[in-house]
Amino acid sequence: DTAVSQTPKYLVTQMGNDKSIKCEQNLGHDTMYWYKQDSKKFLKIMFSYNNKELIINETVPNRFSPKSPDKAHLNLHINSLELGDSAVYFCASSQLNRRSSGNTIYFGEGSWLTVV
Amino acid sequence: ILNVEQSPQSLHVQEGDSTNFTCSFPSSNFYALHWYRWETAKSPEALFVMTLNGDEKKKGRISATLNTKEGYSYLYIKGSQPEDSATYLCALNYGGSQGNLIFGKGTKLSVKP
């Protein structure tokens, strides 16, 4: 079983469209994240959700919105797609432990988004 | 701006060689250091999470050390095998939140049979 799964794996869409990438984790974790691999190949945090509360929101455009229907899912919605949104988006999850800073974060395989 | 630097960017070794890579980070903002192994089109695979200065961790032929005072970690691979070919990423948790990792660009390892 895949621990963190995201769909679709590949998505090609036109500028101006609205699209979603879904993410599910079966690890029982209470925190989920979205990362973006930028043009310089760095993985950068976009959002995280802990018990349905947004606890990180980096400086991403408000066209991007995370939606969490339950603890096991964190979907990424993108409105009015732009060419610069083309990237690989990774979902991840972990179990938040306030007494430890060393919790493993588990990643999905990534979703390749191409905006044309 | 916090930066995590990894060197070398890429490395080509022969099967059986032992090798090591470096991850450098600002020592003033340290909470944890993560190492990942990443093959293209697959999930980054967690190797180690290190939190204490002097930590040494081992998983099979792969081991890592941590020096938080000087801000570096080494990853060692003993007797490299072709299946070790991957990009090795390190990431710094600087304490803003446990999931807010600052990643390096990675070291791409190619092991020739």
Side-chain angles (χ1 to χ4, degrees), chain A residues 15-38:
Chain A
M15 279 176 55
N17 284 350
D18 302 337
K19 289 293 177 186
S20 296
I21 305 173
K22 295 184 177 180
C23 179
E24 176 181 6
Q25 55 95 2
N26 63 7
L27 298 167
H29 289 163
D30 61 4
T31 307
M32 295 182 71
Y33 314 88
W34 277 102
Y35 278 78
K36 177 183 178 180
Q37 186 182 24
D38 68 14

PDB file of all heavy atoms in Angstrom, chain A residues 15-38:
ATOM      1  N   MET A  15      -3.660  27.512 -19.727  1.00  0.00           N
ATOM      2  CA  MET A  15      -3.683  28.719 -18.896  1.00  0.00           C
ATOM      3  C   MET A  15      -5.114  29.132 -18.612  1.00  0.00           C
ATOM      4  O   MET A  15      -5.980  29.026 -19.483  1.00  0.00           O
ATOM      5  CB  MET A  15      -3.005  29.872 -19.640  1.00  0.00           C
ATOM      6  CG  MET A  15      -1.513  29.891 -19.576  1.00  0.00           C
ATOM      7  SD  MET A  15      -0.835  31.225 -20.599  1.00  0.00           S
ATOM      8  CE  MET A  15      -1.695  32.657 -19.957  1.00  0.00           C
ATOM      9  N   GLY A  16      -5.340  29.583 -17.411  1.00  0.00           N
ATOM     10  CA  GLY A  16      -6.655  30.089 -17.050  1.00  0.00           C
ATOM     11  C   GLY A  16      -7.578  29.038 -16.447  1.00  0.00           C
ATOM     12  O   GLY A  16      -8.589  29.391 -15.816  1.00  0.00           O
ATOM     13  N   ASN A  17      -7.231  27.771 -16.629  1.00  0.00           N
ATOM     14  CA  ASN A  17      -8.068  26.707 -16.062  1.00  0.00           C
ATOM     15  C   ASN A  17      -7.906  26.622 -14.553  1.00  0.00           C
ATOM     16  O   ASN A  17      -6.931  27.112 -13.977  1.00  0.00           O
ATOM     17  CB  ASN A  17      -7.709  25.358 -16.689  1.00  0.00           C
ATOM     18  CG  ASN A  17      -8.267  25.207 -18.090  1.00  0.00           C
ATOM     19  OD1 ASN A  17      -9.064  26.017 -18.543  1.00  0.00           O
ATOM     20  ND2 ASN A  17      -7.834  24.170 -18.782  1.00  0.00           N
ATOM     21  N   ASP A  18      -8.897  25.961 -13.927  1.00  0.00           N
ATOM     22  CA  ASP A  18      -8.826  25.636 -12.504  1.00  0.00           C
ATOM     23  C   ASP A  18      -8.625  24.132 -12.393  1.00  0.00           C
ATOM     24  O   ASP A  18      -9.332  23.360 -13.046  1.00  0.00           O
ATOM     25  CB  ASP A  18     -10.129  26.010 -11.794  1.00  0.00           C
ATOM     26  CG  ASP A  18     -10.467  27.478 -11.931  1.00  0.00           C
ATOM     27  OD1 ASP A  18      -9.544  28.284 -12.175  1.00  0.00           O
ATOM     28  OD2 ASP A  18     -11.663  27.819 -11.795  1.00  0.00           O
ATOM     29  N   LYS A  19      -7.679  23.719 -11.561  1.00  0.00           N
ATOM     30  CA  LYS A  19      -7.406  22.290 -11.423  1.00  0.00           C
ATOM     31  C   LYS A  19      -7.158  21.941  -9.957  1.00  0.00           C
ATOM     32  O   LYS A  19      -6.819  22.807  -9.143  1.00  0.00           O
ATOM     33  CB  LYS A  19      -6.175  21.880 -12.239  1.00  0.00           C
ATOM     34  CG  LYS A  19      -6.395  21.896 -13.738  1.00  0.00           C
ATOM     35  CD  LYS A  19      -7.389  20.830 -14.148  1.00  0.00           C
ATOM     36  CE  LYS A  19      -7.672  20.905 -15.650  1.00  0.00           C
ATOM     37  NZ  LYS A  19      -8.750  19.970 -16.061  1.00  0.00           N
ATOM     38  N   SER A  20      -7.285  20.644  -9.658  1.00  0.00           N
ATOM     39  CA  SER A  20      -7.017  20.153  -8.307  1.00  0.00           C
ATOM     40  C   SER A  20      -6.091  18.956  -8.357  1.00  0.00           C
ATOM     41  O   SER A  20      -6.137  18.165  -9.294  1.00  0.00           O
ATOM     42  CB  SER A  20      -8.311  19.723  -7.623  1.00  0.00           C
ATOM     43  OG  SER A  20      -9.165  20.819  -7.442  1.00  0.00           O
ATOM     44  N   ILE A  21      -5.274  18.843  -7.342  1.00  0.00           N
ATOM     45  CA  ILE A  21      -4.445  17.660  -7.141  1.00  0.00           C
ATOM     46  C   ILE A  21      -4.860  17.072  -5.795  1.00  0.00           C
ATOM     47  O   ILE A  21      -4.917  17.790  -4.787  1.00  0.00           O
ATOM     48  CB  ILE A  21      -2.941  17.994  -7.120  1.00  0.00           C
ATOM     49  CG1 ILE A  21      -2.557  18.742  -8.387  1.00  0.00           C
ATOM     50  CG2 ILE A  21      -2.126  16.714  -6.989  1.00  0.00           C
ATOM     51  CD1 ILE A  21      -1.119  19.268  -8.366  1.00  0.00           C
ATOM     52  N   LYS A  22      -5.161  15.773  -5.816  1.00  0.00           N
ATOM     53  CA  LYS A  22      -5.648  15.144  -4.586  1.00  0.00           C
ATOM     54  C   LYS A  22      -4.517  14.423  -3.864  1.00  0.00           C
ATOM     55  O   LYS A  22      -3.582  13.928  -4.495  1.00  0.00           O
ATOM     56  CB  LYS A  22      -6.767  14.155  -4.919  1.00  0.00           C
ATOM     57  CG  LYS A  22      -7.991  14.826  -5.488  1.00  0.00           C
ATOM     58  CD  LYS A  22      -9.110  13.818  -5.711  1.00  0.00           C
ATOM     59  CE  LYS A  22     -10.348  14.527  -6.217  1.00  0.00           C
ATOM     60  NZ  LYS A  22     -11.466  13.577  -6.455  1.00  0.00           N
ATOM     61  N   CYS A  23      -4.636  14.365  -2.558  1.00  0.00           N
ATOM     62  CA  CYS A  23      -3.640  13.658  -1.760  1.00  0.00           C
ATOM     63  C   CYS A  23      -4.320  12.921  -0.629  1.00  0.00           C
ATOM     64  O   CYS A  23      -5.185  13.477   0.060  1.00  0.00           O
ATOM     65  CB  CYS A  23      -2.604  14.624  -1.198  1.00  0.00           C
ATOM     66  SG  CYS A  23      -1.358  13.805  -0.180  1.00  0.00           S
ATOM     67  N   GLU A  24      -3.876  11.699  -0.427  1.00  0.00           N
ATOM     68  CA  GLU A  24      -4.411  10.877   0.664  1.00  0.00           C
ATOM     69  C   GLU A  24      -3.259  10.174   1.358  1.00  0.00           C
ATOM     70  O   GLU A  24      -2.321   9.714   0.711  1.00  0.00           O
ATOM     71  CB  GLU A  24      -5.382   9.838   0.103  1.00  0.00           C
ATOM     72  CG  GLU A  24      -5.919   8.867   1.149  1.00  0.00           C
ATOM     73  CD  GLU A  24      -6.861   7.836   0.564  1.00  0.00           C
ATOM     74  OE1 GLU A  24      -7.023   7.795  -0.671  1.00  0.00           O
ATOM     75  OE2 GLU A  24      -7.451   7.069   1.351  1.00  0.00           O
ATOM     76  N   GLN A  25      -3.325  10.084   2.674  1.00  0.00           N
ATOM     77  CA  GLN A  25      -2.327   9.319   3.416  1.00  0.00           C
ATOM     78  C   GLN A  25      -3.037   8.292   4.300  1.00  0.00           C
ATOM     79  O   GLN A  25      -4.065   8.593   4.905  1.00  0.00           O
ATOM     80  CB  GLN A  25      -1.405  10.245   4.231  1.00  0.00           C
ATOM     81  CG  GLN A  25      -2.109  11.202   5.174  1.00  0.00           C
ATOM     82  CD  GLN A  25      -2.231  10.710   6.602  1.00  0.00           C
ATOM     83  OE1 GLN A  25      -1.741   9.624   6.950  1.00  0.00           O
ATOM     84  NE2 GLN A  25      -2.891  11.501   7.440  1.00  0.00           N
ATOM     85  N   ASN A  26      -2.448   7.092   4.350  1.00  0.00           N
ATOM     86  CA  ASN A  26      -3.047   6.015   5.149  1.00  0.00           C
ATOM     87  C   ASN A  26      -2.186   5.664   6.359  1.00  0.00           C
ATOM     88  O   ASN A  26      -2.208   4.534   6.857  1.00  0.00           O
ATOM     89  CB  ASN A  26      -3.310   4.788   4.272  1.00  0.00           C
ATOM     90  CG  ASN A  26      -2.027   4.201   3.693  1.00  0.00           C
ATOM     91  OD1 ASN A  26      -0.926   4.629   4.050  1.00  0.00           O
ATOM     92  ND2 ASN A  26      -2.162   3.237   2.814  1.00  0.00           N
ATOM     93  N   LEU A  27      -1.400   6.644   6.808  1.00  0.00           N
ATOM     94  CA  LEU A  27      -0.488   6.420   7.922  1.00  0.00           C
ATOM     95  C   LEU A  27      -1.077   6.843   9.265  1.00  0.00           C
ATOM     96  O   LEU A  27      -0.416   6.704  10.293  1.00  0.00           O
ATOM     97  CB  LEU A  27       0.817   7.201   7.666  1.00  0.00           C
ATOM     98  CG  LEU A  27       1.575   6.749   6.416  1.00  0.00           C
ATOM     99  CD1 LEU A  27       2.654   7.755   6.055  1.00  0.00           C
ATOM    100  CD2 LEU A  27       2.179   5.372   6.640  1.00  0.00           C
ATOM    101  N   GLY A  28      -2.267   7.404   9.232  1.00  0.00           N
ATOM    102  CA  GLY A  28      -2.863   7.886  10.481  1.00  0.00           C
ATOM    103  C   GLY A  28      -2.222   9.158  11.000  1.00  0.00           C
ATOM    104  O   GLY A  28      -2.398   9.516  12.169  1.00  0.00           O
ATOM    105  N   HIS A  29      -1.475   9.853  10.161  1.00  0.00           N
ATOM    106  CA  HIS A  29      -0.810  11.096  10.580  1.00  0.00           C
ATOM    107  C   HIS A  29      -1.818  12.227  10.752  1.00  0.00           C
ATOM    108  O   HIS A  29      -2.885  12.238  10.140  1.00  0.00           O
ATOM    109  CB  HIS A  29       0.240  11.514   9.548  1.00  0.00           C
ATOM    110  CG  HIS A  29       1.433  10.625   9.543  1.00  0.00           C
ATOM    111  ND1 HIS A  29       2.334  10.592   8.496  1.00  0.00           N
ATOM    112  CD2 HIS A  29       1.903   9.744  10.455  1.00  0.00           C
ATOM    113  CE1 HIS A  29       3.290   9.734   8.773  1.00  0.00           C
ATOM    114  NE2 HIS A  29       3.048   9.199   9.960  1.00  0.00           N
ATOM    115  N   ASP A  30      -1.432  13.192  11.586  1.00  0.00           N
ATOM    116  CA  ASP A  30      -2.346  14.299  11.829  1.00  0.00           C
ATOM    117  C   ASP A  30      -1.936  15.581  11.094  1.00  0.00           C
ATOM    118  O   ASP A  30      -2.634  16.592  11.198  1.00  0.00           O
ATOM    119  CB  ASP A  30      -2.457  14.587  13.337  1.00  0.00           C
ATOM    120  CG  ASP A  30      -1.125  14.984  13.963  1.00  0.00           C
ATOM    121  OD1 ASP A  30      -0.114  15.117  13.237  1.00  0.00           O
ATOM    122  OD2 ASP A  30      -1.091  15.168  15.189  1.00  0.00           O
ATOM    123  N   THR A  31      -0.841  15.539  10.380  1.00  0.00           N
ATOM    124  CA  THR A  31      -0.374  16.733   9.683  1.00  0.00           C
ATOM    125  C   THR A  31      -0.021  16.373   8.247  1.00  0.00           C
ATOM    126  O   THR A  31       0.643  15.361   7.995  1.00  0.00           O
ATOM    127  CB  THR A  31       0.862  17.332  10.380  1.00  0.00           C
ATOM    128  OG1 THR A  31       0.574  17.532  11.762  1.00  0.00           O
ATOM    129  CG2 THR A  31       1.239  18.664   9.755  1.00  0.00           C
ATOM    130  N   MET A  32      -0.484  17.198   7.319  1.00  0.00           N
ATOM    131  CA  MET A  32      -0.184  16.984   5.903  1.00  0.00           C
ATOM    132  C   MET A  32       0.349  18.267   5.295  1.00  0.00           C
ATOM    133  O   MET A  32       0.057  19.360   5.784  1.00  0.00           O
ATOM    134  CB  MET A  32      -1.432  16.502   5.162  1.00  0.00           C
ATOM    135  CG  MET A  32      -1.911  15.126   5.625  1.00  0.00           C
ATOM    136  SD  MET A  32      -3.337  14.518   4.718  1.00  0.00           S
ATOM    137  CE  MET A  32      -2.592  14.165   3.101  1.00  0.00           C
ATOM    138  N   TYR A  33       1.120  18.111   4.222  1.00  0.00           N
ATOM    139  CA  TYR A  33       1.826  19.249   3.633  1.00  0.00           C
ATOM    140  C   TYR A  33       1.730  19.209   2.111  1.00  0.00           C
ATOM    141  O   TYR A  33       1.555  18.145   1.510  1.00  0.00           O
ATOM    142  CB  TYR A  33       3.324  19.196   3.981  1.00  0.00           C
ATOM    143  CG  TYR A  33       3.637  18.897   5.425  1.00  0.00           C
ATOM    144  CD1 TYR A  33       3.766  17.586   5.857  1.00  0.00           C
ATOM    145  CD2 TYR A  33       3.818  19.923   6.348  1.00  0.00           C
ATOM    146  CE1 TYR A  33       4.058  17.295   7.188  1.00  0.00           C
ATOM    147  CE2 TYR A  33       4.122  19.641   7.675  1.00  0.00           C
ATOM    148  CZ  TYR A  33       4.238  18.323   8.087  1.00  0.00           C
ATOM    149  OH  TYR A  33       4.528  18.040   9.390  1.00  0.00           O
ATOM    150  N   TRP A  34       1.913  20.377   1.519  1.00  0.00           N
ATOM    151  CA  TRP A  34       2.182  20.469   0.095  1.00  0.00           C
ATOM    152  C   TRP A  34       3.503  21.197  -0.101  1.00  0.00           C
ATOM    153  O   TRP A  34       3.721  22.274   0.458  1.00  0.00           O
ATOM    154  CB  TRP A  34       1.066  21.213  -0.650  1.00  0.00           C
ATOM    155  CG  TRP A  34      -0.084  20.316  -0.983  1.00  0.00           C
ATOM    156  CD1 TRP A  34      -1.279  20.226  -0.342  1.00  0.00           C
ATOM    157  CD2 TRP A  34      -0.119  19.349  -2.037  1.00  0.00           C
ATOM    158  NE1 TRP A  34      -2.071  19.268  -0.923  1.00  0.00           N
ATOM    159  CE2 TRP A  34      -1.389  18.722  -1.967  1.00  0.00           C
ATOM    160  CE3 TRP A  34       0.778  18.953  -3.036  1.00  0.00           C
ATOM    161  CZ2 TRP A  34      -1.778  17.720  -2.850  1.00  0.00           C
ATOM    162  CZ3 TRP A  34       0.390  17.961  -3.913  1.00  0.00           C
ATOM    163  CH2 TRP A  34      -0.877  17.354  -3.824  1.00  0.00           C
ATOM    164  N   TYR A  35       4.355  20.562  -0.922  1.00  0.00           N
ATOM    165  CA  TYR A  35       5.621  21.142  -1.312  1.00  0.00           C
ATOM    166  C   TYR A  35       5.624  21.345  -2.822  1.00  0.00           C
ATOM    167  O   TYR A  35       4.969  20.600  -3.562  1.00  0.00           O
ATOM    168  CB  TYR A  35       6.795  20.212  -0.961  1.00  0.00           C
ATOM    169  CG  TYR A  35       7.267  20.279   0.459  1.00  0.00           C
ATOM    170  CD1 TYR A  35       6.573  19.637   1.486  1.00  0.00           C
ATOM    171  CD2 TYR A  35       8.429  20.970   0.788  1.00  0.00           C
ATOM    172  CE1 TYR A  35       7.019  19.697   2.789  1.00  0.00           C
ATOM    173  CE2 TYR A  35       8.885  21.027   2.086  1.00  0.00           C
ATOM    174  CZ  TYR A  35       8.177  20.387   3.086  1.00  0.00           C
ATOM    175  OH  TYR A  35       8.616  20.438   4.373  1.00  0.00           O
ATOM    176  N   LYS A  36       6.417  22.316  -3.273  1.00  0.00           N
ATOM    177  CA  LYS A  36       6.573  22.565  -4.707  1.00  0.00           C
ATOM    178  C   LYS A  36       8.051  22.475  -5.054  1.00  0.00           C
ATOM    179  O   LYS A  36       8.892  23.046  -4.333  1.00  0.00           O
ATOM    180  CB  LYS A  36       6.031  23.949  -5.061  1.00  0.00           C
ATOM    181  CG  LYS A  36       6.202  24.336  -6.517  1.00  0.00           C
ATOM    182  CD  LYS A  36       5.695  25.751  -6.760  1.00  0.00           C
ATOM    183  CE  LYS A  36       5.904  26.161  -8.206  1.00  0.00           C
ATOM    184  NZ  LYS A  36       5.427  27.537  -8.465  1.00  0.00           N
ATOM    185  N   GLN A  37       8.366  21.759  -6.114  1.00  0.00           N
ATOM    186  CA  GLN A  37       9.743  21.766  -6.605  1.00  0.00           C
ATOM    187  C   GLN A  37       9.864  22.912  -7.584  1.00  0.00           C
ATOM    188  O   GLN A  37       9.244  22.897  -8.649  1.00  0.00           O
ATOM    189  CB  GLN A  37      10.092  20.450  -7.285  1.00  0.00           C
ATOM    190  CG  GLN A  37      11.556  20.374  -7.681  1.00  0.00           C
ATOM    191  CD  GLN A  37      11.903  19.095  -8.406  1.00  0.00           C
ATOM    192  OE1 GLN A  37      11.062  18.449  -8.998  1.00  0.00           O
ATOM    193  NE2 GLN A  37      13.163  18.717  -8.357  1.00  0.00           N
ATOM    194  N   ASP A  38      10.643  23.906  -7.228  1.00  0.00           N
ATOM    195  CA  ASP A  38      10.691  25.119  -8.045  1.00  0.00           C
ATOM    196  C   ASP A  38      11.622  24.945  -9.243  1.00  0.00           C
ATOM    197  O   ASP A  38      12.194  23.870  -9.466  1.00  0.00           O
ATOM    198  CB  ASP A  38      11.068  26.334  -7.186  1.00  0.00           C
ATOM    199  CG  ASP A  38      12.496  26.272  -6.669  1.00  0.00           C
ATOM    200  OD1 ASP A  38      13.305  25.455  -7.152  1.00  0.00           O
ATOM    201  OD2 ASP A  38      12.808  27.052  -5.752  1.00  0.00           O
TER     202      ASP A  38
END
